[in-house]
Amino acid sequence: MFSTSSSRGTSAYLESLTRAGQRIKAAARWVPFALVAALVAASSNATFGDAPAARRFSQPGLQRIGDYLRHEIAIGKIPGAILLIQQHGKPVYFEKFGLRDVATKVPMTDDTIFRFYSMSKPITSVAALMLVDDGKLSLDDPLSKYIPAFADVKVGVETPDATGKPVFTLEPLKRPITVLDLMRQTSGITYGFYGDGPVQKLYRQADLYGGDFDNAEFATRLANLPLAEQPGTTWTYSHSVDVLGRVIEVVSGQSLFQFEKERLLDPLGMSHTAFFVADEAKRPLVAQFLPDDLIDPPIAGIRDPMVHRRWESGGAGMVGTTGDYARFVQMLLNAGTLDGRRYLKPETVALMTSDQIGPGSGIASANVYFLAVHAGFGLGVAVLTSPQPKRPWPPGIYGWDGVAGAFFFVDPNDDLFALCMMQSPSHRGRIETELAPLVFDAMVR
């Protein structure tokens, strides 16, 4: 839904990654999907229910969704998946498909642990917004207030010399990077695994992920590299939320995980969500890729989720279960509350889920743009801004995904969300894009 099939798309937000150049080929990237607030212990059969709304789901329509995923498994494209569609706070569809691990033949179960990858970004963004609601952090604060090393960062640009040959130079900041820039991906920080710009090349040469570093060290490593663009000028998918995680640490006086666990994860009941699988007994619960569908080299420095590391990547490092993430998404759909507890102010959720980079913002798109032409970006999530031709979903839908295959979308118009958990880097973008229309086509009045 938030993707296209062109190079501007965000399919698997990297459809393929060559070992030699570590270049991403952008492909169709996004889709909408309904939510999961309460995962009822279920058998391998689907659970259906009629939601009392102007639009509800038909059982034949939901059956077609299940048939689609069963077919993908049957033809060997994905090992398995879990899909939850939730409306009005109750599951209307919940089914587990296929295998958690084709090597062991273990089926998908409620307690299967998935790599969130970039679906970590909304969680970290909410944690930072909680500090904003507390009055301890401002979106307008300069990043250098919390990480002084970013005060002197420069912007890398290529300009032609007298002969027309491009020359790489460093320019001073025209304005400081702000906390808002980190959340909406306009900081000028980038990723090193896509694009051929000179700054991306420097990222790839810098050994950013070497050794057992923590969030403070990683932020310093990024501050020692130039920015790809001037802050506030360009939407560039990046390590911005990793840096935001470090800001949370500085403001809270806790590690990122300690803060998130105390203020967000434990209160929400997200007991299986963490930055790695610490309990040896739970490691067999981690869903595995198909043998020929691995992420290699590791994306954004994230390797084996079962290996302890000091780095708590707020942008891509979290793992957890379907039930955990469902409670997080339901909280957003409820405008910041769940089970009688408030996590964010409703106006903060409204800000988070509204477009921050559209017309009038002065923000351009990077050469590699992972959002569809009808999508913008809020604070940690993509936002559909206008109707798409021949597509059934209305504006206002928001969500995000991760390169391993998990994705979600929220449709406030019909009080629903969809959450699909799978581990398939190669097919994720295509499946997201094909599943979205099936979800909306299953709705009737």
Side-chain angles (χ1 to χ4, degrees):
M1 148 183 167
F2 293 112
S3 67
T4 69
S5 58
S6 71
S7 61
R8 289 170 59 86
T10 315
S11 117
Y13 95 120
L14 1 142
E15 180 186 14
S16 68
L17 181 60
T18 65
R19 295 173 183 256
Q22 289 184 296
R23 285 191 60 189
I24 301 292
K25 295 179 181 178
R29 177 197 206 310
W30 232 99
V31 207
F33 275 89
L35 170 38
V36 195
L39 270 178
V40 180
S43 66
S44 59
N45 294 325
T47 302
F48 301 98
D50 289 332
R55 292 209 303 173
R56 60 183 179 82
F57 287 91
S58 71
Q59 291 194 18
L62 292 171
Q63 183 65 41
R64 285 191 289 273
I65 295 171
D67 290 344
Y68 171 84
L69 287 171
R70 280 185 285 271
H71 176 70
E72 290 295 316
I73 293 167
I75 62 176
K77 299 299 184 182
I78 60 174
I82 299 179
L83 176 63
L84 171 63
I85 302 175
Q86 188 155 296
Q87 189 175 35
H88 308 315
K90 297 181 179 180
V92 294
Y93 185 94
F94 172 58
E95 186 167 1
K96 300 178 285 290
F97 303 87
L99 302 176
R100 176 198 302 160
D101 186 346
V102 295
T104 63
K105 307 298 183 186
V106 176
M108 282 289 182
T109 56
D110 290 357
D111 57 359
T112 296
I113 296 171
F114 296 87
R115 301 161 182 83
F116 291 167
Y117 277 99
S118 282
M119 271 176 41
S120 307
K121 288 179 172 69
I123 295 176
T124 306
S125 298
V126 165
L129 288 169
M130 294 175 79
L131 290 170
V132 173
D133 280 356
D134 290 346
K136 297 179 179 179
L137 182 66
S138 171
L139 296 178
D140 294 329
D141 284 343
L143 174 57
S144 58
K145 177 179 179 180
Y146 306 103
I147 309 176
F150 278 97
D152 298 321
V153 71
K154 299 295 190 293
V155 181
V157 297
E158 274 191 336
T159 55
D161 63 12
T163 66
K165 180 181 177 181
V167 177
F168 183 71
T169 59
L170 296 177
E171 295 181 349
L173 295 181
K174 294 182 179 179
R175 72 149 173 84
I177 303 169
T178 65
V179 172
L180 175 62
D181 287 322
L182 297 178
M183 289 195 188
R184 68 183 183 181
Q185 301 286 325
T186 58
S187 66
I189 297 167
T190 188
Y191 272 131
F193 56 77
Y194 70 84
D196 284 328
V199 174
Q200 282 82 2
K201 292 177 182 177
L202 288 176
Y203 268 59
R204 291 195 285 269
Q205 296 165 7
D207 191 26
L208 272 175
Y209 314 120
D212 186 21
F213 53 91
D214 60 10
N215 284 3
E217 171 62 22
F218 189 65
T220 299
R221 292 180 183 187
L222 291 172
N224 286 330
L225 291 165
L227 303 180
E229 296 95 12
Q230 287 286 346
T233 64
T234 309
W235 190 93
T236 301
Y237 205 47
S238 70
H239 278 299
S240 290
V241 182
D242 290 316
V243 177
L244 182 66
R246 176 56 186 163
V247 171
I248 291 171
E249 293 183 336
V250 174
V251 175
S252 69
Q254 299 174 286
S255 74
L256 178 59
F257 184 59
Q258 287 171 340
F259 178 80
E260 290 181 335
K261 184 174 174 61
E262 178 182 307
R263 292 289 305 277
L264 186 63
L265 304 179
D266 282 356
L268 275 174
M270 298 174 67
S271 59
H272 304 288
T273 300
F275 286 98
F276 57 89
V277 183
D279 186 349
E280 185 77 27
K282 292 184 178 180
R283 296 186 177 189
L285 297 175
V286 178
Q288 300 300 327
F289 304 117
L290 290 173
D292 60 349
D293 192 16
L294 300 177
I295 298 177
D296 185 29
I299 296 300
I302 305 301
R303 295 174 172 82
D304 189 342
M306 295 176 282
V307 175
H308 181 281
R309 59 182 178 272
R310 296 168 62 214
W311 183 33
E312 296 173 352
S313 170
M318 303 195 89
V319 298
T321 62
T322 307
D324 277 14
Y325 211 90
R327 290 185 62 79
F328 172 75
V329 181
Q330 185 68 63
M331 178 272 292
L332 291 179
L333 180 58
N334 292 350
T337 67
L338 188 68
D339 297 337
R341 178 165 180 158
R342 178 160 294 283
Y343 297 86
L344 288 177
K345 297 175 182 177
E347 56 267 32
T348 302
V349 177
L351 180 68
M352 175 183 178
T353 58
S354 61
D355 183 25
Q356 304 292 318
I357 64 170
S361 67
I363 296 169
S365 61
N367 292 332
V368 180
Y369 186 53
F370 288 148
L371 298 173
V373 293
H374 295 281
F377 200 78
L379 306 180
V381 291
V383 184
L384 190 63
T385 55
S386 61
Q388 297 194 49
K390 300 180 181 179
R391 298 285 185 171
W393 43 77
I397 293 171
Y398 63 87
W400 202 237
D401 63 2
V403 69
F407 61 94
F408 78 96
F409 80 86
V410 177
D411 179 7
N413 308 283
D414 286 293
D415 191 28
L416 67 88
F417 77 86
L419 174 65
C420 185
M421 302 295 262
M422 63 179 189
Q423 306 281 250
S424 179
S426 295
H427 296 284
R428 132 188 134 176
R430 175 183 60 81
I431 289 175
E432 291 176 37
T433 305
E434 293 172 358
L435 256 178
L438 294 177
V439 171
F440 284 98
D441 288 345
M443 299 183 72
V444 297
R445 294 195 180 274

